[in-house]
Amino acid sequence: EALAQKEQLKSRRLDGMIVLDEENGNLISDEICDMDSAFQENKSSEFLNITIKTDNTLTKASQVTSRSTFNTVSDYMKKSVIDADRRISDGDISINPYKDSTKTACTYCHYKEVCLFDPKYESYRCLISNSDEALEYMKKEVDSDEKLD
């Protein structure tokens, strides 16, 4: 029963990134520790995707980011949505599926029969798999957009 309860708590864990507090370098605020009593005991949160190693550093599985990285990704997403809206409004409905190392957008697509994308004659858009390279790309895109304003 304890294992079932542990699995149930794990399934309720919030999915997403946690933004680090860059002002004072603290990761865990007192409020989080007060809400999650297990965190102080076993260095792993029942509610958030964070775990602290014995040397008080985060494990690689912890889903954390800095405020500046979060802002860059957020600004890039806003720019991407606005660009997509503009292109669609202008009548651009071109097909541009992605491909990464293991799958393509077509793997999940319900419209393969009507889409007419043929990888024999058209190429997939390659995704940036390295997160540092992807973040650098997003920064450049956001910065170039700000210079145009």
Side-chain angles (χ1 to χ4, degrees):
E1 186 174 306
L3 183 61
Q5 185 179 13
K6 191 174 186 175
E7 285 301 312
Q8 185 179 25
L9 283 172
K10 192 175 181 181
S11 71
R12 292 182 180 167
R13 187 178 274 189
L14 297 176
D15 189 21
M17 299 299 288
I18 297 150
V19 178
L20 294 170
D21 181 357
E22 292 179 289
E23 282 185 33
N24 60 17
N26 291 337
L27 167 65
I28 308 305
S29 68
D30 293 335
E31 291 85 15
I32 292 175
C33 291
D34 290 344
M35 288 187 325
D36 192 350
S37 59
F39 186 77
Q40 286 184 332
E41 294 172 23
N42 54 15
K43 303 280 188 175
S44 181
S45 174
E46 292 179 349
F47 307 107
L48 305 172
N49 286 320
I50 52 174
T51 304
I52 305 255
K53 296 187 278 189
T54 54
D55 65 355
N56 285 333
T57 59
L58 293 164
T59 62
K60 288 189 179 193
S62 297
Q63 295 183 1
V64 297
T65 189
S66 68
R67 173 66 58 194
S68 61
T69 297
F70 180 82
N71 288 342
T72 297
V73 173
S74 178
D75 291 345
Y76 178 77
M77 293 307 301
K78 288 176 194 171
K79 177 188 180 317
S80 296
V81 168
I82 290 168
D83 288 349
D85 178 59
R86 182 189 45 75
R87 286 192 314 272
I88 292 169
S89 295
D90 290 346
D92 180 1
I93 57 168
S94 58
I95 303 164
N96 192 15
Y98 74 85
K99 180 178 185 176
D100 70 11
S101 58
T102 59
K103 58 192 169 292
T104 72
C106 301
T107 306
Y108 305 102
C109 183
H110 298 288
Y111 304 101
K112 291 180 215 174
E113 291 79 22
V114 295
C115 149
L116 303 177
F117 179 82
D118 190 347
K120 292 177 189 171
Y121 304 106
E122 301 172 89
S123 59
Y124 287 102
R125 176 173 46 96
C126 292
L127 298 180
I128 302 170
S129 59
N130 178 296
S131 59
D132 292 334
E133 289 176 18
L135 183 60
E136 193 58 40
Y137 174 80
M138 287 185 243
K139 283 180 185 175
K140 286 178 184 173
E141 288 292 308
V142 169
D143 288 345
S144 70
D145 204 39
E146 287 175 358
K147 290 176 184 172
L148 294 176
D149 290 342

PDB file of all heavy atoms in Angstrom, residues 97-113 115 124 127:
ATOM      1  N   PRO A  97       7.027  19.841 -41.906  1.00  0.00           N
ATOM      2  CA  PRO A  97       7.192  18.973 -40.738  1.00  0.00           C
ATOM      3  C   PRO A  97       8.657  18.839 -40.307  1.00  0.00           C
ATOM      4  O   PRO A  97       9.566  19.010 -41.093  1.00  0.00           O
ATOM      5  CB  PRO A  97       6.645  17.631 -41.211  1.00  0.00           C
ATOM      6  CG  PRO A  97       6.829  17.646 -42.683  1.00  0.00           C
ATOM      7  CD  PRO A  97       6.684  19.083 -43.106  1.00  0.00           C
ATOM      8  N   TYR A  98       8.827  18.518 -39.030  1.00  0.00           N
ATOM      9  CA  TYR A  98      10.172  18.368 -38.469  1.00  0.00           C
ATOM     10  C   TYR A  98      10.608  16.907 -38.470  1.00  0.00           C
ATOM     11  O   TYR A  98       9.812  15.989 -38.605  1.00  0.00           O
ATOM     12  CB  TYR A  98      10.232  18.915 -37.048  1.00  0.00           C
ATOM     13  CG  TYR A  98       9.547  18.027 -36.027  1.00  0.00           C
ATOM     14  CD1 TYR A  98      10.222  16.961 -35.437  1.00  0.00           C
ATOM     15  CD2 TYR A  98       8.233  18.247 -35.654  1.00  0.00           C
ATOM     16  CE1 TYR A  98       9.608  16.133 -34.517  1.00  0.00           C
ATOM     17  CE2 TYR A  98       7.600  17.436 -34.738  1.00  0.00           C
ATOM     18  CZ  TYR A  98       8.292  16.378 -34.169  1.00  0.00           C
ATOM     19  OH  TYR A  98       7.682  15.562 -33.265  1.00  0.00           O
ATOM     20  N   LYS A  99      11.901  16.749 -38.281  1.00  0.00           N
ATOM     21  CA  LYS A  99      12.474  15.419 -38.096  1.00  0.00           C
ATOM     22  C   LYS A  99      13.559  15.556 -37.044  1.00  0.00           C
ATOM     23  O   LYS A  99      14.380  16.467 -37.097  1.00  0.00           O
ATOM     24  CB  LYS A  99      13.086  14.908 -39.406  1.00  0.00           C
ATOM     25  CG  LYS A  99      13.708  13.538 -39.292  1.00  0.00           C
ATOM     26  CD  LYS A  99      14.259  13.086 -40.635  1.00  0.00           C
ATOM     27  CE  LYS A  99      14.777  11.665 -40.526  1.00  0.00           C
ATOM     28  NZ  LYS A  99      15.236  11.167 -41.822  1.00  0.00           N
ATOM     29  N   ASP A 100      13.550  14.647 -36.068  1.00  0.00           N
ATOM     30  CA  ASP A 100      14.667  14.609 -35.134  1.00  0.00           C
ATOM     31  C   ASP A 100      15.318  13.234 -35.247  1.00  0.00           C
ATOM     32  O   ASP A 100      15.058  12.500 -36.197  1.00  0.00           O
ATOM     33  CB  ASP A 100      14.241  14.980 -33.702  1.00  0.00           C
ATOM     34  CG  ASP A 100      13.365  13.930 -33.031  1.00  0.00           C
ATOM     35  OD1 ASP A 100      13.236  12.805 -33.551  1.00  0.00           O
ATOM     36  OD2 ASP A 100      12.789  14.242 -31.980  1.00  0.00           O
ATOM     37  N   SER A 101      16.127  12.876 -34.299  1.00  0.00           N
ATOM     38  CA  SER A 101      16.907  11.643 -34.440  1.00  0.00           C
ATOM     39  C   SER A 101      16.048  10.375 -34.443  1.00  0.00           C
ATOM     40  O   SER A 101      16.459   9.356 -34.993  1.00  0.00           O
ATOM     41  CB  SER A 101      17.949  11.554 -33.326  1.00  0.00           C
ATOM     42  OG  SER A 101      17.307  11.588 -32.065  1.00  0.00           O
ATOM     43  N   THR A 102      14.854  10.416 -33.866  1.00  0.00           N
ATOM     44  CA  THR A 102      14.068   9.193 -33.761  1.00  0.00           C
ATOM     45  C   THR A 102      12.697   9.233 -34.425  1.00  0.00           C
ATOM     46  O   THR A 102      12.111   8.190 -34.689  1.00  0.00           O
ATOM     47  CB  THR A 102      13.851   8.821 -32.280  1.00  0.00           C
ATOM     48  OG1 THR A 102      13.179   9.906 -31.635  1.00  0.00           O
ATOM     49  CG2 THR A 102      15.172   8.541 -31.586  1.00  0.00           C
ATOM     50  N   LYS A 103      12.157  10.422 -34.673  1.00  0.00           N
ATOM     51  CA  LYS A 103      10.803  10.479 -35.206  1.00  0.00           C
ATOM     52  C   LYS A 103      10.583  11.751 -36.022  1.00  0.00           C
ATOM     53  O   LYS A 103      11.418  12.631 -36.056  1.00  0.00           O
ATOM     54  CB  LYS A 103       9.782  10.404 -34.066  1.00  0.00           C
ATOM     55  CG  LYS A 103       9.941  11.490 -33.030  1.00  0.00           C
ATOM     56  CD  LYS A 103       9.111  11.191 -31.793  1.00  0.00           C
ATOM     57  CE  LYS A 103       9.441  12.091 -30.654  1.00  0.00           C
ATOM     58  NZ  LYS A 103      10.703  11.968 -30.031  1.00  0.00           N
ATOM     59  N   THR A 104       9.429  11.812 -36.662  1.00  0.00           N
ATOM     60  CA  THR A 104       9.039  12.998 -37.417  1.00  0.00           C
ATOM     61  C   THR A 104       7.684  13.465 -36.912  1.00  0.00           C
ATOM     62  O   THR A 104       6.983  12.739 -36.193  1.00  0.00           O
ATOM     63  CB  THR A 104       8.921  12.695 -38.922  1.00  0.00           C
ATOM     64  OG1 THR A 104       7.760  11.901 -39.140  1.00  0.00           O
ATOM     65  CG2 THR A 104      10.159  11.996 -39.448  1.00  0.00           C
ATOM     66  N   ALA A 105       7.296  14.665 -37.322  1.00  0.00           N
ATOM     67  CA  ALA A 105       5.961  15.155 -36.980  1.00  0.00           C
ATOM     68  C   ALA A 105       4.904  14.252 -37.591  1.00  0.00           C
ATOM     69  O   ALA A 105       3.809  14.089 -37.043  1.00  0.00           O
ATOM     70  CB  ALA A 105       5.794  16.586 -37.459  1.00  0.00           C
ATOM     71  N   CYS A 106       5.231  13.640 -38.713  1.00  0.00           N
ATOM     72  CA  CYS A 106       4.287  12.764 -39.404  1.00  0.00           C
ATOM     73  C   CYS A 106       3.945  11.525 -38.565  1.00  0.00           C
ATOM     74  O   CYS A 106       2.888  10.921 -38.756  1.00  0.00           O
ATOM     75  CB  CYS A 106       4.858  12.338 -40.752  1.00  0.00           C
ATOM     76  SG  CYS A 106       5.213  13.737 -41.836  1.00  0.00           S
ATOM     77  N   THR A 107       4.816  11.160 -37.636  1.00  0.00           N
ATOM     78  CA  THR A 107       4.572  10.022 -36.760  1.00  0.00           C
ATOM     79  C   THR A 107       3.253  10.191 -36.009  1.00  0.00           C
ATOM     80  O   THR A 107       2.543   9.219 -35.768  1.00  0.00           O
ATOM     81  CB  THR A 107       5.722   9.873 -35.735  1.00  0.00           C
ATOM     82  OG1 THR A 107       6.962   9.808 -36.427  1.00  0.00           O
ATOM     83  CG2 THR A 107       5.549   8.643 -34.863  1.00  0.00           C
ATOM     84  N   TYR A 108       2.928  11.414 -35.636  1.00  0.00           N
ATOM     85  CA  TYR A 108       1.754  11.684 -34.818  1.00  0.00           C
ATOM     86  C   TYR A 108       0.603  12.312 -35.605  1.00  0.00           C
ATOM     87  O   TYR A 108      -0.450  12.583 -35.043  1.00  0.00           O
ATOM     88  CB  TYR A 108       2.130  12.638 -33.679  1.00  0.00           C
ATOM     89  CG  TYR A 108       3.282  12.119 -32.870  1.00  0.00           C
ATOM     90  CD1 TYR A 108       4.564  12.629 -33.051  1.00  0.00           C
ATOM     91  CD2 TYR A 108       3.105  11.106 -31.945  1.00  0.00           C
ATOM     92  CE1 TYR A 108       5.630  12.144 -32.317  1.00  0.00           C
ATOM     93  CE2 TYR A 108       4.163  10.604 -31.213  1.00  0.00           C
ATOM     94  CZ  TYR A 108       5.427  11.135 -31.405  1.00  0.00           C
ATOM     95  OH  TYR A 108       6.472  10.654 -30.686  1.00  0.00           O
ATOM     96  N   CYS A 109       0.784  12.551 -36.870  1.00  0.00           N
ATOM     97  CA  CYS A 109      -0.184  13.307 -37.666  1.00  0.00           C
ATOM     98  C   CYS A 109      -1.383  12.447 -38.070  1.00  0.00           C
ATOM     99  O   CYS A 109      -1.225  11.325 -38.546  1.00  0.00           O
ATOM    100  CB  CYS A 109       0.497  13.872 -38.908  1.00  0.00           C
ATOM    101  SG  CYS A 109      -0.598  14.896 -39.893  1.00  0.00           S
ATOM    102  N   HIS A 110      -2.569  13.021 -37.909  1.00  0.00           N
ATOM    103  CA  HIS A 110      -3.803  12.340 -38.300  1.00  0.00           C
ATOM    104  C   HIS A 110      -4.218  12.690 -39.731  1.00  0.00           C
ATOM    105  O   HIS A 110      -5.240  12.209 -40.211  1.00  0.00           O
ATOM    106  CB  HIS A 110      -4.939  12.721 -37.340  1.00  0.00           C
ATOM    107  CG  HIS A 110      -4.684  12.323 -35.929  1.00  0.00           C
ATOM    108  ND1 HIS A 110      -4.725  11.023 -35.485  1.00  0.00           N
ATOM    109  CD2 HIS A 110      -4.350  13.072 -34.854  1.00  0.00           C
ATOM    110  CE1 HIS A 110      -4.441  10.979 -34.201  1.00  0.00           C
ATOM    111  NE2 HIS A 110      -4.212  12.209 -33.791  1.00  0.00           N
ATOM    112  N   TYR A 111      -3.442  13.534 -40.395  1.00  0.00           N
ATOM    113  CA  TYR A 111      -3.833  14.033 -41.713  1.00  0.00           C
ATOM    114  C   TYR A 111      -2.875  13.581 -42.821  1.00  0.00           C
ATOM    115  O   TYR A 111      -2.803  14.206 -43.866  1.00  0.00           O
ATOM    116  CB  TYR A 111      -3.923  15.566 -41.681  1.00  0.00           C
ATOM    117  CG  TYR A 111      -4.865  16.052 -40.620  1.00  0.00           C
ATOM    118  CD1 TYR A 111      -4.375  16.524 -39.410  1.00  0.00           C
ATOM    119  CD2 TYR A 111      -6.239  16.014 -40.823  1.00  0.00           C
ATOM    120  CE1 TYR A 111      -5.248  16.958 -38.420  1.00  0.00           C
ATOM    121  CE2 TYR A 111      -7.119  16.449 -39.853  1.00  0.00           C
ATOM    122  CZ  TYR A 111      -6.618  16.911 -38.647  1.00  0.00           C
ATOM    123  OH  TYR A 111      -7.474  17.326 -37.672  1.00  0.00           O
ATOM    124  N   LYS A 112      -2.162  12.504 -42.619  1.00  0.00           N
ATOM    125  CA  LYS A 112      -1.181  12.034 -43.602  1.00  0.00           C
ATOM    126  C   LYS A 112      -1.794  11.817 -44.984  1.00  0.00           C
ATOM    127  O   LYS A 112      -1.175  12.133 -45.996  1.00  0.00           O
ATOM    128  CB  LYS A 112      -0.543  10.725 -43.129  1.00  0.00           C
ATOM    129  CG  LYS A 112       0.337  10.849 -41.949  1.00  0.00           C
ATOM    130  CD  LYS A 112       0.905   9.491 -41.586  1.00  0.00           C
ATOM    131  CE  LYS A 112       1.025   9.417 -40.096  1.00  0.00           C
ATOM    132  NZ  LYS A 112       1.431   8.130 -39.609  1.00  0.00           N
ATOM    133  N   GLU A 113      -3.000  11.302 -45.005  1.00  0.00           N
ATOM    134  CA  GLU A 113      -3.642  10.972 -46.273  1.00  0.00           C
ATOM    135  C   GLU A 113      -3.992  12.214 -47.090  1.00  0.00           C
ATOM    136  O   GLU A 113      -3.998  12.177 -48.314  1.00  0.00           O
ATOM    137  CB  GLU A 113      -4.906  10.133 -46.038  1.00  0.00           C
ATOM    138  CG  GLU A 113      -4.621   8.729 -45.516  1.00  0.00           C
ATOM    139  CD  GLU A 113      -4.313   8.704 -44.019  1.00  0.00           C
ATOM    140  OE1 GLU A 113      -4.698   9.645 -43.302  1.00  0.00           O
ATOM    141  OE2 GLU A 113      -3.664   7.749 -43.582  1.00  0.00           O
ATOM    142  N   CYS A 115      -2.508  15.386 -46.499  1.00  0.00           N
ATOM    143  CA  CYS A 115      -1.418  16.369 -46.435  1.00  0.00           C
ATOM    144  C   CYS A 115      -0.552  16.365 -47.696  1.00  0.00           C
ATOM    145  O   CYS A 115      -0.108  17.393 -48.153  1.00  0.00           O
ATOM    146  CB  CYS A 115      -0.584  16.087 -45.191  1.00  0.00           C
ATOM    147  SG  CYS A 115       1.120  16.479 -45.277  1.00  0.00           S
ATOM    148  N   TYR A 124      12.497  17.275 -44.625  1.00  0.00           N
ATOM    149  CA  TYR A 124      12.020  17.630 -43.301  1.00  0.00           C
ATOM    150  C   TYR A 124      12.841  18.795 -42.754  1.00  0.00           C
ATOM    151  O   TYR A 124      13.998  18.978 -43.106  1.00  0.00           O
ATOM    152  CB  TYR A 124      12.179  16.453 -42.332  1.00  0.00           C
ATOM    153  CG  TYR A 124      11.205  15.333 -42.553  1.00  0.00           C
ATOM    154  CD1 TYR A 124      11.588  14.166 -43.195  1.00  0.00           C
ATOM    155  CD2 TYR A 124       9.894  15.439 -42.090  1.00  0.00           C
ATOM    156  CE1 TYR A 124      10.690  13.124 -43.370  1.00  0.00           C
ATOM    157  CE2 TYR A 124       9.000  14.407 -42.261  1.00  0.00           C
ATOM    158  CZ  TYR A 124       9.396  13.250 -42.895  1.00  0.00           C
ATOM    159  OH  TYR A 124       8.513  12.226 -43.072  1.00  0.00           O
ATOM    160  N   LEU A 127      15.316  19.674 -36.309  1.00  0.00           N
ATOM    161  CA  LEU A 127      15.259  20.372 -35.032  1.00  0.00           C
ATOM    162  C   LEU A 127      16.644  20.438 -34.402  1.00  0.00           C
ATOM    163  O   LEU A 127      17.485  19.565 -34.633  1.00  0.00           O
ATOM    164  CB  LEU A 127      14.309  19.650 -34.075  1.00  0.00           C
ATOM    165  CG  LEU A 127      12.851  19.556 -34.495  1.00  0.00           C
ATOM    166  CD1 LEU A 127      12.053  18.808 -33.434  1.00  0.00           C
ATOM    167  CD2 LEU A 127      12.261  20.936 -34.702  1.00  0.00           C
TER     168      LEU A 127
END
